[in-house]
């Protein structure tokens, strides 16, 4: 079973002070998995557990491709070979980069991003830090991410 846990931290320009940075740093990057809000998807082959901010709503979209791979946000996962791949900020013609295998070990991926948002007649920047915890396990364990350490931590903070 594939388990995806996503933690999103979002803020605007007014929340870039040292106090705000410290407040965000104190937000956990992993949680126990509780149903709901966690849910099963892709014919119960996957658990999706999302935490944190989603100011615009519907921030993450998931799709299963014709080849069986699951694609969401900047990531692609193969249920067959249990490898997670990362596209980066531009997904146009860029081939994904393999990050690692998820067999009974988990990978934590972190990246930052910013968006131009138009709301109430004004544009503003929405900043975010996204953390993905991913694993393929035989038997579901709601405390898997809490009880173990990641085999690999991947960070892309180039934005």
């Amino acid at each position: 079973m594939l388990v995806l846990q996503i933690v999103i931290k979002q803020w605007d320009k007014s929340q870039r002070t040292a106090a705000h940075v410290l407040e965000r740093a104190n937000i956990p990057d992993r949680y126990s998995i509780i149903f709901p809000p966690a849910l099963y998807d892709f014919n119960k082959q996957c658990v999706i557990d999302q935490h944190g901010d989603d100011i615009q709503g519907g921030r993450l979209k998931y799709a299963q491709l014709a080849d069986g791979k699951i694609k969401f946000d900047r990531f692609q996962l193969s249920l067959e070979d249990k490898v997670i791949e990362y596209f980066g900020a531009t997904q146009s013609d860029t081939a994904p980069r393999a990050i690692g295998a998820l067999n009974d070990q988990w990978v934590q991926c972190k990246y930052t991003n910013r968006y131009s948002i138009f709301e109430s007649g004004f544009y503003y920047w929405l900043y975010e830090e996204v953390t993905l915890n991913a694993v393929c396990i035989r038997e579901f364990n709601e405390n898997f991410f809490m009880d173990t350490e990641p085999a690999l931590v991947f960070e892309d903070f180039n934005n």
Side-chain angles (χ1 to χ4, degrees):
M1 168 179 297
L2 175 63
V3 180
L4 303 175
Q5 184 176 75
I6 300 96
V7 181
I8 302 174
K9 302 174 191 178
Q10 294 180 328
W11 63 96
D12 63 34
K13 191 173 182 176
S14 70
Q15 299 166 315
R16 297 188 309 165
T17 67
H20 288 105
V21 170
L22 182 59
E23 185 179 316
R24 284 191 297 278
N26 287 323
I27 296 172
D29 62 2
R30 58 180 127 165
Y31 295 87
S32 294
I33 299 169
I34 309 293
F35 288 91
L39 56 97
Y40 288 100
D41 207 346
F42 306 112
N43 295 322
K44 294 198 173 193
Q45 296 179 76
C46 180
V47 172
I48 299 173
D49 184 34
Q50 185 172 329
H51 297 267
D53 304 316
D54 191 359
I55 293 169
Q56 297 297 304
R59 164 67 182 83
L60 295 176
K61 294 176 181 34
Y62 304 85
Q64 190 160 20
L65 307 175
D67 63 3
K69 291 182 180 180
I70 295 174
K71 186 172 182 179
F72 66 98
D73 204 35
R74 296 182 179 187
F75 300 97
Q76 180 172 279
L77 294 144
S78 170
L79 291 173
E80 187 175 316
D81 61 12
K82 297 172 178 61
V83 170
I84 185 169
E85 298 173 313
Y86 181 72
F87 285 99
T90 57
Q91 296 185 21
S92 55
D93 295 324
T94 309
R97 173 170 77 189
I99 296 173
L102 302 176
N103 274 337
D104 295 319
Q105 64 181 9
W106 64 284
V107 172
Q108 185 175 70
C109 305
K110 295 183 177 197
Y111 69 88
T112 56
N113 203 2
R114 71 178 184 168
Y115 305 94
S116 174
I117 303 295
F118 183 75
E119 187 176 90
S120 302
F122 296 98
Y123 284 98
Y124 70 94
W125 285 112
L126 179 65
Y127 300 89
E128 72 178 6
E129 179 183 310
V130 176
T131 301
L132 167 70
N133 301 320
V135 67
C136 284
I137 51 179
R138 287 182 204 91
E139 194 172 311
F140 179 75
N141 173 356
E142 66 271 359
N143 292 312
F144 186 85
F145 296 123
M146 301 301 292
D147 294 343
T148 61
E149 292 299 315
L152 173 70
V153 176
F154 171 82
E155 294 179 343
D156 185 6
F157 292 140
N158 295 328
N159 294 324

